[in-house]
Amino acid sequence: MDPNKKAILVIGAGDATGGAIARRFAREGYVACVTRRSADKLAPLVEQIRAAGGEAHGFGSDARKEDEMVALVQKIEAEIAPIEVAVFNIGANVRFGIADTTARVYFKVWEMACFAGFLMGREAAKAMVPRGRGTIIFTGATASLRGREGFAAFAGAKHALRALAQSMARELWPQGIHVAHPIVDGAIDTEFIRSNFPERYARKEQDGIVNPEHIADLYWQLHMQPRDAWTHEPDIRPWMEPW
């Protein structure tokens, strides 16, 4: 481990927001440590960062598994660099009517969108608190604030993640750890939106859906805030999004 380097851990480094966050911090000299359940899917992102002159490492990891999360953080801390920033960015946006929401679906969504966030947050805090510095960011969504029809499982999990972030912020801010919960209240420019909501995706030409690179810029700004002016819960939405 090189103590002169700084690492960012991105849990859920997909092709849109998570990847953009990793690239943004890598441009600033941070070692990007990115995870997905399938390590093979990380290869394009890792190569992209390296081609741009940055340093990146991909890890196949199931964030819902406590032993895997513990081992991941310990490995990065021991072999790569101190984790200065940890970002939880796992999705789990599934739609089921309440009568069709099985116990398995509800529990799996909670595991992915909330419990995994707890595991990451706890392990990141263990590493950061002794150093008295660090940033932990949990990606929120519209469902963090209000539950829509058909999204009982997702909204329940995102509400719980928001409560986790609030509790962690109140505990860890006095110890020098900036915990934030940005809420992305609008469609993001992703393949999921393009394929499933073409009418929403058509707004892209009008800046009517969120650019992942701009989310990444906000995350960098949050990390760079002086501690006398920290923000916990900024919201992000396109100018034409009703709210």
Side-chain angles (χ1 to χ4, degrees), residues 4-22:
N4 296 314
K5 292 182 177 181
K6 298 178 180 180
I8 176 172
L9 170 61
V10 181
I11 304 294
D15 299 329
T17 305
I21 294 166

Side-chain angles (χ1 to χ4, degrees), residues 37-112:
R37 274 182 290 178
S38 174
D40 293 343
K41 293 182 178 180
L42 290 166
L45 174 61
V46 170
E47 290 306 314
Q48 189 178 41
I49 291 172
R50 291 174 178 172
E55 183 177 349
H57 304 269
F59 300 90
S61 178
D62 188 337
R64 301 170 298 172
K65 306 297 184 183
E66 183 175 24
D67 57 343
E68 293 188 29
M69 185 61 69
V70 171
L72 173 67
V73 170
Q74 289 179 348
K75 182 177 180 65
I76 295 169
E77 286 277 327
E79 300 178 12
I80 298 176
I83 298 172
E84 293 288 318
V85 184
V87 175
F88 182 74
N89 189 63
I90 289 181
N93 189 348
V94 296
R95 184 168 192 165
F96 285 92
I98 192 64
D100 297 320
T101 302
T102 64
R104 179 179 180 275
V105 165
Y106 195 95
F107 184 72
K108 184 176 181 180
V109 171
W110 172 79
E111 274 192 311
M112 293 172 62

Side-chain angles (χ1 to χ4, degrees), residues 161-172 179 232:
L161 184 70
R162 186 187 188 205
L164 169 72
Q166 289 179 358
S167 293
M168 286 182 57
R170 291 182 170 98
E171 179 178 344
L172 296 177
V179 180
H232 175 66

Side-chain angles (χ1 to χ4, degrees), residues 1 14 27 67 87 101 114 120 132 172 176 183 211-212 237 243:
M1 189 269 284
R27 290 203 307 270
D67 57 343
V87 175
T101 302
C114 179
M120 185 211 77
L172 296 177
I183 293 177
N211 185 331
R237 64 180 61 86
W243 58 293

Side-chain angles (χ1 to χ4, degrees), residues 204-220:
K204 179 179 178 179
E205 298 305 316
Q206 302 171 273
D207 294 328
I209 60 176
V210 186
N211 185 331
E213 304 293 336
H214 298 159
I215 298 174
D217 286 338
L218 174 69
Y219 282 36
W220 174 252

